[in-house]
Amino acid sequence: MKPLKWWQSAVFYQVYPRSFADGNNDGIGDFKGITEKLDYLLELGIDAIWLSPHFPSPNWDCGYDISDYCGVAPEYGSLDDFKTFLREAHTRQIRVILDLVLNHTSDEHPWFIESKSSRDNPKADWYVWLDSPRPAGAGGVMAPPNNWQSCFDGDAWTYVPERDQYYYHYFMKQQPDLNWRNPEVKKAMWDAARFWLELGVDGFRLDAIGTIYEDPALTPHAVPMNLAQLRHFSETAQTPKEIKLREKYWHDMFHNQWGQPGLHELMKELRAILDEYPGDRMLVGEDDDIAYMGNGEDELNLVFNFPLMHTPATLTPAHIRKNQKERLARLKKLPKGGWACNTFGNHDSSRAYTRFGDKTHAAERARLTLATVLTLPGTPFLYNGEEIGMTDLIITDPSKLRDTMATWYHQSLINDLKVDAAEAAQRAGEMTRDKNRTPMQWSNVANGGFCAKNVEPWLPVNPNYAAGVNVKDQRNDPMSLFNYYKRLLHLRKSTPALVAGKYTPLEIQAKDYLAFTRRVESQTVLVILNFSDKRLKLDLSKSIGAAALHIIFSSAGRSRTLENPAEIHLGAFEVHIAELK
Ligand code: NOJ
């Protein structure tokens, strides 16, 4: 077997800079704060950081609307602060990848300001501009070029009087799509990527790559509703027929606006740029389509296994098994081989603790979730705060929402769909991504120790910091989720089979538990995850033979003992990892 690249053996940890650590006590996270917490991350046992956007931005989309690709948002610090952070991370052998947003810029980016100023300026063709299909005049209101929707805030077209034209935006109107068919755009963006590569960053997470090109024929969608109506329909859909229709409508509404020809060529170009730099710089795409890995070597190194985390209900052994079967088979087919990448949380999705927990067993399920992502084949990505069991915080005061997508939805519920105020606030609070972006809870003091009591954090802190959901208390408690994360992360590092081993599922009919082996030449490890609230006694001697099992990890606190494969005892929800001797 080829020696692994660093990004194959690493565990990544997503830092959401606005919420991670506030070094200057202004209620907003920053580089000083992140740098001060690097020893914390080292202690936890992660190997690489994915940093969500840290660039100057008017923050209509929390930094995913960038107004300068080579700068640092002043609220996060200066370029020197970034360099210090990068140097200190590297000193600790922690790699850093940045978020590269290719599809769109902010509408306050100088490129867009110039582009929208006239039809014949040097950047006139840097964005996607179109005339109205109907001539203006006779007092007539211009009509957008077609019925495409933005996935965030209504029409995908916004009119600009200076040009008497519309520009296209897949996301908010403050996020105009770049025209990637223009070679100057490509060059400018590749230059930005090089700027950070030269500073020494280890790669990029590529935002929303599927949306870079649109159907040039501008084929309209055929869904009989607009975005607000579709969102509302999705939330109220109940019957199997409605649920099926909901999926079809989401697909049909946007399928002309993503996944269009040209993307693979573009990914190849970017790959070639990264390969000019030493140190195996890497690319991970915000997409689950394995096709973006090209032949396994010439496009992206990784794409996220989102289908694993997108379960309609809580995580089950059957779901994981099916997912692995399909996913690993597809990766294997890549001519140069592919590498998996698993995750259960990020800044766009409800927190795993909330999503997979039920009222009585959330803590146990959080332990199973981590064991799943750290023992299945592939590179794991964790999301900041999951190591202490942070949960969603439903913000029902609309004035406290910072996710503009939710503010827009709240307004359309009230104004267009005539939903009453209390229900609209609740729905917006549930759909917003603010709920999973609240500040990190460092200790049991006001504002969870994120910032001082008299400072208002940019988003409210979840009050459960006072009920043990904070780093300081958990650090002192050997049985805490934090210490469980630490133990399992360190075990993974010292267990080659868990990083590189071939995956073989066992007992594939079992409903209550997931069992599999991971095997490298020097070691075979058996993983059993009991997803049920029952104690189990298993006989696995037929599938793994009679050799004794040496327990190397047990969430039930079993000490390092030998076990008979014909008589394996598991406690309710136990995570049980053993080496075959
Ligand atoms: C995906 C990002 O993860 C999300 O937060 C953002 O709103 C969109 N892309 C637009 O950049």
Side-chain angles (χ1 to χ4, degrees):
M1 192 181 154
K2 282 194 276 181
L4 295 187
K5 306 276 191 205
W6 69 266
W7 48 266
Q8 293 177 303
S9 51
V11 175
F12 283 73
Y13 179 97
Q14 181 187 358
V15 167
Y16 197 66
R18 230 174 173 68
S19 286
F20 188 61
D22 180 5
N24 65 354
N25 197 29
D26 64 353
I28 299 176
D30 47 45
F31 278 116
K32 182 170 180 292
I34 307 175
T35 309
E36 285 166 1
K37 297 296 182 193
L38 286 171
D39 285 328
Y40 165 78
L41 295 178
L42 199 63
E43 176 192 346
L44 179 63
I46 58 100
D47 310 285
I49 291 172
W50 152 28
L51 188 70
S52 279
H54 65 279
F55 314 93
S57 162
N59 276 304
W60 286 94
D61 187 15
C62 266
Y64 283 88
D65 47 327
I66 296 170
S67 54
D68 173 5
Y69 279 80
C70 299
V72 169
E75 65 270 33
Y76 299 155
S78 62
L79 190 58
D80 278 340
D81 294 327
F82 172 83
K83 288 180 187 165
T84 306
F85 152 70
L86 186 63
R87 191 185 59 238
E88 291 297 319
H90 282 166
T91 305
R92 291 166 178 77
Q93 316 296 329
I94 294 177
R95 314 266 186 159
V96 177
I97 67 166
L98 303 183
D99 219 312
L100 190 59
V101 183
L102 300 173
N103 176 64
H104 49 271
T105 68
S106 155
D107 63 342
E108 293 183 29
H109 195 296
W111 299 342
F112 186 71
I113 293 175
E114 188 174 346
S115 186
K116 76 170 190 182
S117 66
S118 66
R119 288 191 184 211
D120 55 7
N121 68 75
K123 297 207 169 40
D125 190 35
W126 278 44
Y127 292 81
V128 181
W129 292 102
L130 277 179
D131 293 337
S132 167
R134 271 199 269 138
V141 182
M142 298 281 285
N146 67 8
N147 67 355
W148 286 356
Q149 297 287 288
S150 129
C151 72
F152 278 179
D153 66 354
D155 273 355
W157 301 98
T158 295
Y159 180 69
V160 170
E162 293 91 318
R163 294 184 52 137
D164 192 19
Q165 275 185 318
Y166 286 83
Y167 67 87
Y168 171 73
H169 47 96
Y170 184 85
F171 296 97
M172 281 169 219
K173 59 176 170 296
Q174 292 86 357
Q175 295 169 294
D177 272 45
L178 283 160
N179 174 14
W180 276 87
R181 301 188 205 276
N182 181 336
E184 289 176 22
V185 167
K186 236 195 250 184
K187 177 171 183 320
M189 200 57 100
W190 294 164
D191 284 350
R194 285 179 192 282
F195 173 83
W196 298 103
L197 290 167
E198 263 144 44
L199 286 182
V201 306
D202 299 285
F204 299 106
R205 173 263 191 192
L206 300 181
D207 186 71
I209 41 177
T211 63
I212 287 176
Y213 295 109
E214 303 71 48
D215 168 20
L218 298 180
T219 315
H221 74 75
V223 177
M225 44 181 89
N226 66 22
L227 180 77
Q229 289 161 334
L230 177 55
R231 265 198 203 297
H232 194 239
F233 172 75
S234 303
E235 285 171 359
T236 47
Q238 274 173 356
T239 63
K241 195 173 157 207
E242 285 169 340
I243 291 172
K244 218 165 153 203
L245 203 56
R246 167 176 82 185
E247 273 157 35
K248 179 173 156 39
Y249 280 174
W250 276 106
H251 170 269
D252 290 359
M253 185 172 274
F254 292 106
H255 77 286
N256 296 320
Q257 296 169 249
W258 48 258
Q260 298 291 316
L263 286 167
H264 294 289
E265 292 72 10
L266 201 66
M267 294 302 109
K268 284 196 173 81
E269 265 186 52
L270 185 55
R271 161 91 270 135
I273 293 174
L274 267 82
D275 288 346
E276 289 169 23
Y277 293 82
D280 295 318
R281 314 289 171 107
M282 65 87 71
L283 293 169
V284 52
E286 190 216 2
D287 206 292
D288 54 41
D289 189 351
I290 288 170
Y292 289 121
M293 297 172 79
N295 69 6
E297 271 179 4
D298 60 353
E299 292 189 38
L300 309 185
N301 302 96
L302 301 171
V303 293
F304 289 107
N305 178 5
F306 289 135
L308 180 65
M309 71 187 256
H310 292 155
T311 63
T314 196
L315 208 55
T316 62
H319 169 77
I320 301 170
R321 249 180 241 128
K322 181 164 177 284
N323 170 274
Q324 291 299 294
K325 192 172 171 203
E326 291 167 4
R327 209 72 201 162
L328 297 175
R330 281 211 61 198
L331 285 167
K332 217 171 145 189
K333 281 204 187 121
L334 296 183
K336 304 279 182 183
W339 191 258
C341 174
N342 300 311
T343 185
F344 284 112
N346 59 44
H347 64 294
D348 289 332
S349 60
S350 163
R351 282 192 173 270
Y353 198 95
T354 304
R355 212 160 6 110
F356 299 140
D358 56 30
K359 289 202 175 66
T360 43
H361 301 300
E364 290 86 346
R365 291 192 189 281
R367 284 167 164 79
L368 285 164
T369 308
L370 180 72
T372 306
V373 78
L374 291 191
T375 58
L376 286 179
T379 300
F381 273 68
L382 310 179
Y383 178 49
N384 60 195
E386 65 167 83
E387 70 273 25
I388 52 168
M390 281 180 64
T391 59
D392 287 349
L393 175 68
I394 306 295
I395 300 169
T396 47
D397 172 357
S399 74
K400 296 248 185 291
L401 295 175
R402 296 291 170 267
D403 182 1
T404 332
M405 167 163 100
T407 316
W408 173 83
Y409 183 50
H410 177 247
Q411 286 307 309
S412 21
L413 283 176
I414 291 180
N415 300 332
D416 307 334
L417 303 178
K418 310 295 175 209
V419 169
D420 81 68
E423 189 191 333
Q426 182 68 26
R427 287 205 186 282
E430 279 169 16
M431 73 79 78
T432 177
R433 301 167 297 173
D434 285 338
K435 66 177 185 285
N436 46 279
R437 296 174 174 179
T438 60
M440 181 78 181
Q441 296 160 207
W442 292 103
S443 62
N444 182 6
V445 297
N447 285 329
F450 177 73
C451 57
K453 192 176 177 180
N454 58 347
V455 173
E456 191 180 351
W458 80 281
L459 271 181
V461 176
N462 193 322
N464 67 8
Y465 73 79
V469 187
N470 71 72
V471 171
K472 191 163 176 224
D473 288 355
Q474 293 200 17
R475 237 186 189 152
N476 295 329
D477 171 5
M479 300 309 286
S480 68
L481 187 60
F482 170 78
N483 277 309
Y484 167 86
Y485 261 68
K486 222 173 116 172
R487 279 199 301 278
L488 205 49
L489 281 159
H490 287 274
L491 176 86
R492 188 179 191 275
K493 262 192 221 312
S494 56
T495 311
L498 287 181
V499 178
K502 180 176 182 298
Y503 163 88
T504 309
L506 309 174
E507 311 289 308
I508 56 175
Q509 303 305 336
K511 281 204 171 60
D512 288 336
Y513 65 94
L514 181 76
F516 56 89
T517 54
R518 301 283 316 273
R519 183 191 298 263
V520 286
E521 223 171 69
S522 57
Q523 185 184 47
T524 301
V525 161
L526 167 72
V527 177
I528 315 175
L529 308 177
N530 181 3
F531 280 82
S532 80
D533 59 0
K534 293 179 258 180
R535 290 174 179 207
L536 302 176
K537 193 176 132 202
L538 310 179
D539 175 0
L540 296 188
S541 55
K542 285 213 183 69
S543 32
I544 56 170
L549 294 171
H550 180 208
I551 301 177
I552 55 174
F553 187 91
S554 151
S555 60
R558 283 171 224 285
S559 53
R560 297 178 155 257
T561 47
L562 288 180
E563 199 171 38
N564 176 359
E567 212 176 299
I568 302 175
H569 293 272
L570 290 176
F573 300 107
E574 183 172 343
V575 171
H576 180 285
I577 307 176
E579 200 177 335
L580 267 65
K581 284 291 180 193

